[in-house]
Amino acid sequence: MTPVATREPGAAKRHTINDVARLAGVSKKTVSRVINESPFVKEETRKAVLEIMRETGYVPDPQARGLAFRRSFLVGLIYDNPNPQHTISHQQGLLDAMAGSGFELVVRPVDRNSPKLLDDMRDFVERQKLFAVVLPSPVSEDEKLAALLRELDVPYVRIGSVALDEPDRMLVSHDGRGAAQAARHLADLGHTRIALISGPPTFRSSIERRKGFEEGLAEAGLTLAPDLAKIGAYTYESGVAAAHDLFALEARPTAVFCLNDEMATGVYTAAREAGLRIPEDVSVVGYDDAPIAVRLWPPMTSVRLPLRDMGRMAGEMLVPNALREKRADAHEVQPQLVVRGSSAKAP
Amino acid sequence: MTPVATREPGAAKRHTINDVARLAGVSKKTVSRVINESPFVKEETRKAVLEIMRETGYVPDPQARGLAFRRSFLVGLIYDNPNPQHTISHQQGLLDAMAGSGFELVVRPVDRNSPKLLDDMRDFVERQKLFAVVLPSPVSEDEKLAALLRELDVPYVRIGSVALDEPDRMLVSHDGRGAAQAARHLADLGHTRIALISGPPTFRSSIERRKGFEEGLAEAGLTLAPDLAKIGAYTYESGVAAAHDLFALEARPTAVFCLNDEMATGVYTAAREAGLRIPEDVSVVGYDDAPIAVRLWPPMTSVRLPLRDMGRMAGEMLVPNALREKRADAHEVQPQLVVRGSSAKAP
DNA sequence: CTGAAAGCGCTTACAG
DNA sequence: CTGAAAGCGCTTACAG
């Protein structure tokens, strides 16, 4: 057998499709067919080519392939999330799905309120000829962006609290169901004056979580009292402020449900300032189950979303990967209430 | 003037270098010279070409350029950091530096202890023909990885607590100086029995921070008592455990300095369990100034590292950007102690 | 200062 | 089932 140079340290130029073709005694087109798993290659030829590829350590050049394909091997992650934990978890999951696939992840933070967003995205996607795009919430809620991607014929998956698009383009986290669990949990503990601190109405997650919460209350025969419904900004400070108001009420709530952990953490601060004990005087429930939930005292009851899984599933919906059998068929995940020490029987 | 088709919505193929050449009445090579800012183009010709490029909205195809250049326009971020906040901040800063440059950021989490790390990195860098690579700590501490990148002739910047490489390849955060500030701060408050909870010795940051801390103590005429020096794992749980031991000592410390905020948060928990008040009974100082520092009660004194700036500076050292005058000349940042309510006069 | 030719490493038609 | 030709959109030599 012809001795084949293996990868020399340093200098050694990487082998090209021409080297493989020559060594295998076939045309480069046949090698190309093997690379692209065309069925029109004799099994014998295919094996011989694969053997040469293995020996030489040949790996196709993604730039050259991309140029010829008129499409790159890059997946874009376009995010605008104030919560780094969300982004990094999604990113990690996406990379889990892409590992060993030959695709790479290009990250792109954006300002979803920028008037230039659509122009920037068009330029980004066209210029890089992106293979696919993942849109976590709240960027996923931008209908114009989704329309642009369809126009540019770029596959995408939107990650969101509720179905906003066709099933193949959507990973749904059913945020409302988690909020309903929280409502039932508090109702089961005997609470009747349950307050809500929601996020900005510009976040669909806030709308869905609130809706789910109210439905959960309704199941238990309760309703959300108008004076107990506060609107926060998904920030710690807004949680402090809203809870401050709630705790100043004559008939103050015995439980507070916050639509994210940042605001719930603010409730801890406000409770301490108001001289209220958690959970003896007031129960607190958050949403996200962020790392801080178990670092606070008492550890916080919160609704968990499988963020990393969500990223992975979105990746599996978009990226072919030889390490996997086939693409993901499940397009949804379920939130899960995690009960800890911050919620207890109503006083 | 010849009417030029502007970007049609939808179909309209992007213009290529040939279109620009034809419309400008020059060869494509001349257009190429303009793109690459060659000085060998008559000013008049250059302006004419630039005008056509503007009118047509022409942008060079990075894949085609990369193929011809034998080098891509991708910058790699290779990280293995247990702290998402670090990664996301560095990432954000890097992207700040790269905005509008035409380069894109490809992210790559790795396990720095994997035996396959070097092979994986060789494959990654060679295959993608990376333009440059950024190595945050602790990946930056891997000498073999740095040597590999030099061998592959890929520019890189290592972000680390101390100079580990030539100045052009290093962004130094002088972690020790921040720890020294913490030591002086506690000494100034009259503490003499000051404990230390360090991180794993496999992290250079832990070694440097500890060294700086001991130097700071020495300046104040203090030394670190052996029974007050604990080794943690940079995790919350290890902070709880180490502080638990410290608080059980007969002569317990009046102050605890932790080499990261995670462990310092653990000290809060251990203090509560031991019935100790912060800062009345014990002062606590952390490192990182993570978001949690201001969500704990009392707000935590901590050493801040400008993580986003560090990412930006690393990016500026590597990526040419027309939006900037020139590359960064500063290759270091300084940590800064942020004093809050968790540190007070010794009891 | 400018251009025609060849090439980067692949794939798409088109033949056979 | 396999291959020779042309092309993807750029840049590198090489001329002039």
Side-chain angles (χ1 to χ4, degrees):
Chain A
M1 175 170 279
T2 319
V4 172
T6 51
R7 205 161 48 195
E8 295 293 329
K13 254 186 79 180
R14 278 178 89 92
H15 297 281
T16 71
I17 195 172
N18 288 309
D19 301 326
V20 176
R22 184 170 31 77
L23 291 168
V26 299
S27 75
K28 59 202 263 196
K29 176 59 217 175
T30 295
V31 177
S32 173
R33 286 199 180 87
V34 172
I35 294 171
N36 293 295
E37 300 178 27
S38 157
F40 305 115
V41 180
K42 213 199 304 178
E43 185 54 21
E44 193 185 314
T45 314
R46 205 177 67 83
K47 278 196 175 154
V49 171
L50 282 175
E51 175 59 15
I52 297 291
M53 295 191 347
R54 205 187 51 69
E55 283 177 29
T56 54
Y58 168 74
V59 180
D61 180 321
Q63 291 203 108
R65 287 232 287 168
L67 184 59
F69 266 139
R70 292 156 190 78
R71 191 167 187 192
S72 77
F73 292 87
L74 302 174
V75 173
L77 174 64
I78 298 173
Y79 63 93
D80 175 13
N81 196 310
N83 188 333
Q85 189 67 48
H86 277 235
T87 300
I88 210 82
S89 297
H90 278 149
Q91 186 168 306
Q92 189 65 247
L94 256 171
L95 289 161
D96 291 342
M98 292 167 59
S101 70
F103 288 81
E104 298 294 338
L105 184 66
V106 173
V107 294
R108 192 74 172 209
V110 300
D111 172 3
R112 70 170 171 140
N113 296 315
S114 163
K116 298 193 311 157
L117 177 65
L118 288 182
D119 285 341
D120 285 352
M121 290 302 96
R122 179 188 288 273
D123 181 66
F124 173 48
V125 170
E126 274 193 339
R127 188 196 308 210
Q128 300 299 331
K129 301 206 192 76
L130 293 184
F131 184 84
V133 167
V134 175
L135 306 171
S137 105
V139 174
S140 61
E141 295 159 19
D142 190 324
E143 287 300 339
K144 287 186 178 164
L145 180 51
L148 172 67
L149 295 174
R150 286 193 297 272
E151 175 197 322
L152 297 177
D153 207 26
V154 178
Y156 64 83
V157 165
R158 301 161 75 170
I159 302 179
S161 49
V162 67
L164 301 163
D165 209 321
E166 301 170 23
D168 282 353
R169 290 171 162 159
M170 196 71 219
L171 181 69
V172 184
S173 55
H174 298 297
D175 288 29
R177 297 182 188 171
Q181 288 178 45
R184 283 193 292 268
H185 169 64
L186 291 171
D188 286 349
L189 289 169
H191 293 276
T192 53
R193 282 193 63 75
I194 305 176
L196 171 73
I197 304 180
S198 52
T202 51
F203 283 72
R204 186 64 181 258
S205 61
S206 181
I207 294 172
E208 294 302 321
R209 291 173 188 183
R210 174 170 183 155
K211 195 158 75 179
F213 179 66
E214 296 206 55
E215 287 169 5
L217 288 182
E219 280 180 43
L222 299 173
T223 51
L224 176 60
D227 61 328
L228 296 186
K230 297 287 178 185
I231 294 180
Y234 267 167
T235 64
Y236 169 76
E237 292 74 14
S238 69
V240 176
H244 181 82
D245 290 353
L246 289 170
F247 294 153
L249 293 175
E250 279 196 43
R252 65 170 167 75
T254 61
V256 182
F257 176 48
C258 298
L259 296 192
N260 77 357
D261 283 354
E262 276 291 289
M263 296 191 295
T265 301
V267 177
Y268 272 64
T269 299
R272 191 180 39 248
E273 289 172 356
L276 297 173
R277 295 162 304 165
I278 300 173
E280 293 81 355
D281 300 318
V282 62
S283 287
V284 179
V285 176
Y287 206 117
D288 280 346
D289 195 29
I292 198 172
V294 292
R295 286 156 180 60
L296 294 172
W297 189 260
M300 185 162 71
T301 297
S302 186
V303 180
R304 175 185 296 168
L305 239 27
L307 300 171
R308 183 164 173 172
D309 286 343
M310 291 159 71
R312 180 180 49 71
M313 291 169 74
E316 290 176 352
M317 288 168 70
L318 292 168
V319 178
N321 191 336
L323 306 180
R324 261 198 325 273
E325 269 310 295
K326 46 179 74 170
R327 301 200 177 187
D329 47 349
H331 296 177
E332 59 176 357
V333 296
Q334 303 297 338
Q336 180 65 48
L337 180 73
V338 181
V339 177
R340 299 202 183 87
S342 67
S343 51
K345 281 215 183 323
Chain B
M1 174 171 285
T2 319
V4 173
T6 51
R7 205 160 50 195
E8 296 292 329
K13 252 184 79 179
R14 277 178 90 91
H15 298 282
T16 73
I17 197 172
N18 288 310
D19 301 326
V20 176
R22 184 169 32 76
L23 291 168
V26 297
S27 75
K28 60 203 260 197
K29 176 59 216 177
T30 294
V31 177
S32 173
R33 286 199 180 86
V34 172
I35 293 171
N36 293 294
E37 298 179 28
S38 158
F40 305 116
V41 180
K42 212 199 304 179
E43 185 55 22
E44 194 185 313
T45 314
R46 205 178 66 84
K47 279 197 173 152
V49 172
L50 283 174
E51 175 59 17
I52 298 293
M53 294 190 348
R54 206 188 51 68
E55 282 177 30
T56 54
Y58 168 74
V59 180
D61 181 322
Q63 292 203 109
R65 288 232 288 166
L67 183 60
F69 267 139
R70 293 155 189 78
R71 192 168 188 190
S72 78
F73 292 86
L74 301 175
V75 174
L77 174 64
I78 299 174
Y79 63 94
D80 174 14
N81 196 311
N83 187 332
Q85 188 67 47
H86 277 233
T87 299
I88 209 82
S89 297
H90 280 149
Q91 185 168 308
Q92 188 65 246
L94 256 171
L95 290 160
D96 291 341
M98 292 166 59
S101 69
F103 288 81
E104 297 295 337
L105 185 65
V106 173
V107 295
R108 191 75 172 210
V110 300
D111 172 3
R112 69 171 172 139
N113 296 315
S114 164
K116 298 193 310 155
L117 176 65
L118 288 183
D119 285 342
D120 285 352
M121 289 302 96
R122 180 189 287 275
D123 182 66
F124 174 47
V125 169
E126 275 193 338
R127 187 197 307 210
Q128 299 299 330
K129 301 206 192 75
L130 293 184
F131 184 83
V133 167
V134 175
L135 307 172
S137 104
V139 174
S140 61
E141 295 160 20
D142 190 323
E143 288 301 339
K144 288 186 178 164
L145 180 52
L148 172 68
L149 295 175
R150 286 193 297 271
E151 174 197 323
L152 297 177
D153 206 27
V154 178
Y156 65 83
V157 165
R158 300 161 76 171
I159 301 179
S161 48
V162 67
L164 301 164
D165 209 322
E166 301 170 22
D168 282 354
R169 290 171 163 159
M170 195 70 219
L171 181 69
V172 184
S173 55
H174 298 296
D175 289 27
R177 296 182 189 172
Q181 288 178 44
R184 284 193 292 270
H185 170 63
L186 291 171
D188 287 349
L189 289 170
H191 294 276
T192 53
R193 283 193 63 76
I194 306 176
L196 171 72
I197 304 180
S198 50
T202 51
F203 283 73
R204 186 65 180 257
S205 61
S206 180
I207 293 173
E208 295 301 321
R209 290 173 189 183
R210 175 172 182 155
K211 194 157 78 178
F213 179 65
E214 296 205 55
E215 288 170 4
L217 288 181
E219 278 181 45
L222 299 173
T223 50
L224 176 60
D227 61 326
L228 296 186
K230 297 287 178 187
I231 294 180
Y234 268 167
T235 63
Y236 169 77
E237 291 76 14
S238 69
V240 175
H244 181 81
D245 291 351
L246 288 170
F247 294 154
L249 292 175
E250 279 196 41
R252 64 170 168 74
T254 60
V256 182
F257 177 48
C258 298
L259 296 192
N260 78 357
D261 283 353
E262 276 290 289
M263 296 191 295
T265 301
V267 176
Y268 272 65
T269 299
R272 189 180 40 247
E273 288 172 356
L276 297 172
R277 296 161 304 166
I278 300 173
E280 292 82 355
D281 301 318
V282 61
S283 288
V284 178
V285 176
Y287 207 117
D288 282 345
D289 194 30
I292 198 173
V294 294
R295 284 157 181 58
L296 292 173
W297 188 261
M300 185 162 71
T301 297
S302 186
V303 180
R304 174 184 298 168
L305 240 26
L307 300 171
R308 183 165 173 171
D309 286 342
M310 292 159 70
R312 182 180 48 71
M313 291 169 73
E316 290 176 353
M317 287 168 69
L318 292 168
V319 179
N321 191 333
L323 305 180
R324 262 198 324 274
E325 270 310 296
K326 47 179 74 172
R327 299 198 178 189
D329 47 349
H331 295 177
E332 58 176 357
V333 297
Q334 303 297 338
Q336 180 65 48
L337 180 74
V338 181
V339 177
R340 299 202 183 88
S342 67
S343 51
K345 281 214 184 322

